[in-house]
């Protein structure tokens, strides 16, 4: 990354163009925040933090990465993946990132308990391809809410859905 700095127990990386973290290991007690004006590559990287926010101005590639946080926000033109990626999700949320409160209320009325109306994992593909095929999502707590947005969504395997299950909301990018 062009402009990476550590601030206490947080990592902020801001790149005007591409950000390459391939094969990198990062362990932070708090927030990991990566912002890039173009592509972000996290292939074979290992990130461990309380919250992980990645906003790529271009494509986000996560092939073979281990992304472990209580809350995740992943955004890119396309989110691309290969076999072997592991995303571990806890019960945290990203401040200011709300979910579909009406959906969560209705599920609650139907007896499905979700820990929060804010998602624990949000992945948005602005140009439409959200490839989580070959990814394993390991839920570290019960009542998880995953929100995936794109026009071409390949979903992941989900481990440990808990007694109450997991809400996986698939939202198209383009409404026709």
């Amino acid at each position: 990354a062009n402009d990476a700095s550590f601030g206490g127990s947080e990592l902020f990386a801001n790149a005007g163009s591409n950000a390459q973290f391939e094969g990198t290991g990062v362990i932070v007690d708090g927030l990991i925040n990566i912002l890039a004006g173009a592509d972000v590559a996290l292939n074979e990287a290992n990130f461990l933090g309380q919250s992980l926010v990645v906003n790529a101005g271009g494509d986000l590639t996560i092939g073979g990465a281990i992304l472990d946080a209580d809350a995740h926000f992943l955004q890119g033109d396309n989110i691309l993946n290969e076999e072997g990626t592991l995303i571990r999700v806890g019960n945290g949320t990203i401040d200011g990132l709300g979910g579909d409160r009406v959906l969560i209320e209705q599920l609650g009325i139907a007896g499905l308990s979700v820990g929060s109306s804010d998602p624990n994992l949000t992945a948005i593909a602005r140009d439409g391809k959200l490839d989580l095929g070959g990814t394993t999502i390991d839920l570290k707590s019960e009542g998880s809410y995953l929100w995936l947005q794109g026009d071409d969504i390949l979903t992941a395997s989900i481990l440990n859905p808990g007694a109450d299950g997991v809400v996986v909301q698939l939202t198209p990018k383009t409404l026709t």
Side-chain angles (χ1 to χ4, degrees):
N2 293 341
D3 213 2
S5 62
F6 287 91
S9 62
E10 299 180 340
L11 168 69
F12 292 92
N14 186 359
S17 59
N18 294 333
Q20 302 289 328
F21 291 93
E22 294 177 298
T24 302
V26 174
I27 299 174
V28 174
D29 290 334
L31 170 67
I32 300 170
N33 190 342
I34 300 169
L35 174 64
D39 296 343
V40 174
L42 302 180
N43 299 327
E44 303 297 327
N46 185 354
F47 282 80
L48 173 61
Q50 183 178 9
S51 300
L52 175 62
V53 175
V54 181
N55 192 343
D59 291 341
L60 169 59
T61 57
I62 59 172
I66 299 173
L67 308 177
D68 188 339
D70 288 339
H72 297 259
F73 176 78
L74 307 174
Q75 181 171 257
D77 288 347
N78 297 288
I79 298 177
L80 308 171
N81 180 42
E82 298 169 3
E83 291 286 327
T85 301
L86 173 63
I87 300 175
R88 298 193 73 222
V89 178
N91 63 357
T93 59
I94 304 293
D95 287 341
L97 182 64
D100 187 335
R101 295 188 193 314
V102 173
L103 169 69
I104 300 304
E105 279 181 26
Q106 293 301 313
L107 291 172
I109 291 169
L112 180 64
S113 173
V114 176
S116 171
S117 61
D118 297 333
N120 310 110
L121 166 66
T122 301
I124 299 172
R126 288 185 300 266
D127 285 347
K129 184 169 181 74
L130 176 55
D131 179 1
L132 296 178
T135 298
T136 299
I137 297 177
D138 183 9
L139 304 175
K140 300 188 286 185
S141 62
E142 293 188 17
S144 294
Y145 173 18
L146 314 177
W147 192 347
L148 309 176
Q149 183 178 14
D151 287 334
D152 183 9
I153 300 174
L154 299 173
T155 58
S157 300
I158 297 177
L159 299 178
N160 305 317
D164 290 330
V166 58
V167 173
V168 179
Q169 181 176 353
L170 304 175
T171 305
K173 173 69 176 104
T174 306
L175 300 174
T176 55

